[in-house]
């Protein structure tokens, strides 16, 4: 379940958001039925004029059924700035170079925080699936892959692998590879933070931690798949390269965690009905932070 750090990353001339990427959840409607400053609705007309029959004006133009616009095409050398800054970070370890690489990754590699959030629509979708599985682990039907009777006596590693298979089966894409690894890593981190946690009966706090950590690790894995080879090539030694990769992962985890804290402070907590929407908002906030580092 390792990450393909030897990948050269996506090229220019392809859609920034591949066709197979799930769309992020729809934006939440504004609170209330109308904007705060909108004038009150007029009193209803008790004698409204008769409506024109639908077929009374056959020559009236009909609005065409226009399909949604396709994702923008990526320019050539889309990650050149990212790799340049990441190479400097790999050699010297300066935090400013790492931040600049993340900024260029979002702004130039994916066309800004909005498109980057769309590119990570699969992260929000998989996070929702992960939350659903973790919430119902103890009630899975008999004979299923997560049947509590079948998992009884299994090691924690075997249970985590079963969860990975249930949440994100292999489909041949790098997205699936990254998400599967991120699920396993998030559950491993969960058991480190909560040594007594029972994966079949997690508390809401523990499930929220797993979802938050999955989100962070999936962003980190995608970043490594796209441009991580630069760190491997530019670091002075293999040991330094691994250390630099860990620094990037930790920095992404910290930024994602801060975004989730901001959402919780605003009253947007992760629950079974809003996981995808909250993850989308956390991703967007994270990518806005990263984009601010671009030069």
């Amino acid at each position: 379940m390792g990450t393909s750090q030897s990948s050269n990353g996506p090229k220019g001339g392809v859609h920034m958001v591949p066709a197979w990427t799930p769309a992020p959840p729809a934006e939440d409607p504004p609170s209330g039925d109308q904007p705060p400053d909108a004038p009150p609705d007029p009193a209803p007309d008790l004698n409204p004029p008769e409506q024109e029959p639908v077929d009374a004006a056959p020559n009236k133009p009909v609005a065409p059924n226009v399909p949604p616009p396709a994702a923008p095409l990526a320019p050539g050398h889309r990650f050149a700035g990212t790799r340049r800054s990441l190479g400097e970070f790999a050699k010297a370890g300066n935090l400013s170079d790492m931040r600049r690489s993340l900024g260029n990754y979002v702004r130039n590699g994916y066309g800004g925080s909005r498109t980057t959030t769309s590119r990570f629509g699969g992260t929000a979708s998989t996070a929702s699936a992960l939350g659903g599985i973790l919430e119902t682990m103890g009630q899975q039907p008999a004979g299923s892959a997560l049947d509590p009777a079948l998992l009884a006596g299994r090691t924690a590693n075997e249970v985590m692998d079963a969860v990975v298979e249930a949440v994100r089966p292999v489909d041949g894409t790098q997205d699936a590879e990254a998400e599967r690894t991120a699920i396993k890593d998030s559950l491993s981190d969960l058991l480190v933070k909560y040594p007594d946690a029972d994966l079949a009966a997690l508390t809401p706090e523990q499930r929220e931690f797993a979802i938050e950590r999955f989100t962070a690790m999936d962003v980190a894995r995608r970043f490594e798949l796209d441009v991580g080879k630069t760190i491997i090539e530019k670091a002075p030694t293999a040991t330094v390269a691994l250390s630099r990769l860990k620094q990037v992962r930790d920095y992404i985890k910290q930024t994602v965690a801060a975004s989730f804290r901001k959402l919780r402070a605003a009253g947007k907590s992760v629950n079974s009905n809003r996981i995808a929407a909250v993850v989308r908002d956390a991703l967007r906030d994270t990518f806005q932070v990263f984009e601010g580092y671009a030069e």
Side-chain angles (χ1 to χ4, degrees):
M1 209 177 286
T3 300
S4 300
Q5 290 163 349
S6 60
S7 169
N8 288 318
K11 310 297 184 184
V14 299
H15 289 295
M16 287 188 176
V17 182
W20 66 79
T21 305
E27 296 292 332
D28 296 332
S31 58
D33 296 330
Q34 54 190 4
D37 297 331
D41 292 333
D45 188 347
L46 299 181
N47 296 291
E50 293 186 5
Q51 298 295 317
E52 181 183 21
V54 173
D55 58 351
N59 296 324
K60 187 175 182 180
V62 178
N65 185 15
V66 179
L73 292 178
H77 308 291
R78 58 193 290 197
F79 292 122
T82 304
R83 292 191 175 100
R84 184 165 52 251
S85 298
L86 201 59
E88 293 301 317
F89 167 69
K91 290 184 281 189
N94 292 327
L95 182 59
S96 60
D97 289 322
M98 182 183 70
R99 285 176 170 169
R100 195 175 301 113
S101 73
L102 289 167
N104 287 325
Y105 179 74
V106 171
R107 178 177 294 179
N108 302 319
Y110 282 107
S113 56
R114 182 179 182 130
T115 305
T116 312
T117 303
S118 295
R119 176 63 183 89
F120 281 78
T123 306
S125 176
T126 300
S128 182
L130 174 61
I133 288 292
L134 293 180
E135 187 172 7
T136 60
M137 277 278 286
Q139 300 99 39
Q140 293 295 309
S144 68
L146 296 177
D147 178 357
L150 295 179
L151 295 180
R154 299 283 184 90
T155 66
N157 197 56
E158 290 172 329
V159 174
M160 287 189 289
D161 285 341
V163 171
V164 171
E165 292 298 332
V167 175
R168 193 60 166 99
V170 174
D171 64 8
T173 65
Q174 284 191 335
D175 283 14
E177 179 185 352
E179 289 171 15
R180 286 167 61 85
T181 302
I183 293 169
K184 184 72 174 285
D185 288 346
S186 68
L187 296 177
S188 296
D189 284 359
L190 169 72
L191 294 180
V192 170
K193 183 176 176 66
Y194 302 98
D196 298 325
D198 179 359
L199 291 175
L202 296 177
T203 66
E205 177 185 5
Q206 291 167 348
R207 289 198 301 271
E208 185 165 355
F209 175 83
I211 291 165
E212 174 189 308
R213 188 51 55 89
F214 161 75
T215 303
M217 294 309 300
D218 194 43
V219 173
R221 293 300 179 186
R222 182 75 255 169
F223 182 79
E224 290 174 26
L225 282 168
D226 286 343
V227 296
K229 186 178 179 182
T230 298
I231 293 180
I232 303 297
E233 292 175 340
K234 300 296 184 181
T237 67
T239 301
V240 171
L242 293 175
S243 176
R244 298 283 191 259
L245 286 168
K246 183 178 183 302
Q247 283 179 268
V248 174
R249 290 177 198 147
D250 289 345
Y251 192 81
I252 291 174
K253 284 191 288 188
Q254 293 166 11
T255 307
V256 170
S259 295
F260 273 94
R261 287 196 299 271
K262 186 187 299 184
L263 291 172
R264 281 194 294 271
K268 295 183 178 181
S269 298
V270 172
N271 61 53
S272 57
N273 297 322
R274 288 187 47 83
I275 293 175
V278 172
V279 169
R280 172 207 64 206
D281 290 347
L283 287 168
R284 180 169 52 199
D285 184 77
T286 297
F287 296 141
Q288 287 173 346
V289 171
F290 289 164
E291 189 174 10
Y293 299 146
E295 292 183 353

